[in-house]
Amino acid sequence: MILALSGQEDLACEWMHREMGEFLEEFFTSLPVHLQRTLERRIENLRPRWANGTSQIVARMLAK
């Protein structure tokens, strides 16, 4: 749904019924809980501009 809402409907349809879709569903479901638990009070310090770089780091970590 996030892909579709962000204008990437084709990619959303491609990944929907694959393991990547399952991965993203679980990832986005568990992410808020883990961010809150890990960052606690520092969560207010997160900046939107860091999102792109963070997503690149996560992708590289998964590739390894």
Side-chain angles (χ1 to χ4, degrees), residues 31-46:
L31 183 61
V33 172
H34 292 291
L35 284 174
Q36 182 67 39
R37 184 183 311 144
T38 303
L39 297 175
E40 296 177 341
R41 292 185 200 133
R42 294 175 295 163
I43 203 161
E44 295 175 4
N45 296 332
L46 285 179

Side-chain angles (χ1 to χ4, degrees), residues 8-56:
Q8 299 193 35
E9 296 88 358
D10 292 341
L11 192 53
C13 289
E14 181 182 332
W15 285 355
M16 187 180 344
H17 298 292
R18 295 185 181 182
E19 287 185 350
M20 182 53 129
E22 291 177 38
F23 167 82
L24 289 174
E25 182 178 349
E26 179 65 28
F27 181 80
F28 288 120
T29 300
S30 62
L31 183 61
V33 172
H34 292 291
L35 284 174
Q36 182 67 39
R37 184 183 311 144
T38 303
L39 297 175
E40 296 177 341
R41 292 185 200 133
R42 294 175 295 163
I43 203 161
E44 295 175 4
N45 296 332
L46 285 179
R47 300 292 175 251
R49 68 178 183 267
W50 299 342
N52 187 41
T54 303
S55 66
Q56 291 174 23

